[in-house]
Amino acid sequence: MHILSATAGGFVDEAAGVVRVEQEPADIVVLSAADTTLSLLAAACQRLPEAFPSVRLCNLMHLRQPASVDLYVDEVLTHARVIIVDHLGGRSYWPYGTERLVALARERKQKLIMFSGDRTEDPNLLRESTASPAQCRQLWRYLRESGSENAREFFHFIGQEFLGRADIARPPRVIPDPVVYSPQ
């Protein structure tokens, strides 16, 4: 597995030139702008069975320019069987990338799962996905509930639903919101 580091609060300067993300192709590719999500999934990958399909994780902040998107599509995403995009801000946040991934997934018959990176469902992203809305929602819930168990089940669900594995994914485990009690 390969994961790129990101600088907290950082951004890709559009004037800095094209960013080439050097990753080998994989069966499953997860794109997110949330470092916490990528870290959680990277830790879960370490606990997957050795025979589990290959996984790549990438921060969307490295793919801000159309040329960077095109390189990543050509070098990594064309070979993927399942592509998951955890959008922060919806389609308008990453319009060119979304457009390219939708076209690629339809052309190559890939599973494209796109959902909101927050707790509000985005029906437009669900509609443009090639997986069913129920499958997209289930994967969205694993990440929104968070936790190491949910991250592991996220991958088991992908294996079960899209890659023909015998993995049995448990439903997302609801993790209660934290509460702070102060007698004052």
Side-chain angles (χ1 to χ4, degrees):
M1 179 191 68
H2 295 63
I3 185 166
L4 295 175
S5 64
T7 304
F11 67 97
V12 176
D13 183 359
E14 304 237 355
V18 175
V19 174
R20 180 172 184 241
V21 178
E22 294 187 38
Q23 285 184 330
E24 295 293 320
D27 298 306
I28 303 164
V29 179
V30 182
L31 303 165
S32 177
D35 289 338
T36 53
T37 298
L38 294 171
S39 294
L40 178 70
L41 294 176
C45 284
Q46 302 301 320
R47 296 187 329 267
L48 292 173
E50 181 121 356
F52 196 82
S54 55
V55 176
R56 299 291 177 265
L57 307 172
C58 181
N59 192 308
L60 282 174
M61 296 306 289
H62 296 292
L63 304 173
R64 299 296 299 157
Q65 300 165 307
S68 298
V69 171
D70 290 338
L71 279 170
Y72 196 70
V73 166
D74 292 344
E75 295 175 353
V76 179
L77 296 179
T78 57
H79 307 284
R81 295 168 61 191
V82 179
I83 301 168
I84 299 157
V85 184
D86 184 24
H87 273 277
L88 288 174
R91 182 178 172 66
S92 63
Y93 175 78
W94 197 51
Y96 182 73
T98 302
E99 179 182 313
R100 281 295 316 268
L101 268 59
V102 168
L104 176 72
R106 291 195 174 132
E107 173 190 318
R108 300 185 66 85
K109 309 262 187 275
Q110 295 167 311
K111 287 298 178 186
L112 174 63
I113 298 99
M114 297 190 296
F115 45 75
S116 168
D118 59 31
R119 291 193 174 269
T120 306
E121 188 175 282
D122 187 331
N124 296 321
L125 292 174
L126 293 178
R127 200 172 15 261
E128 291 190 272
S129 298
T130 60
S132 75
Q135 291 168 321
C136 294
R137 282 185 190 104
Q138 183 87 342
L139 288 167
W140 173 64
R141 285 199 51 232
Y142 284 120
L143 295 184
R144 295 303 68 90
E145 294 298 339
S146 196
S148 60
E149 284 181 39
N150 284 328
R152 186 179 60 249
E153 295 306 317
F154 173 87
F155 287 113
H156 288 304
F157 185 83
I158 293 167
Q160 171 189 313
E161 293 291 311
F162 307 121
L163 302 174
R165 289 185 52 87
D167 301 320
I168 304 297
R170 291 178 287 180
R173 182 173 159 244
V174 177
I175 297 178
D177 291 332
V179 176
V180 176
Y181 172 74
S182 175
Q184 291 81 16

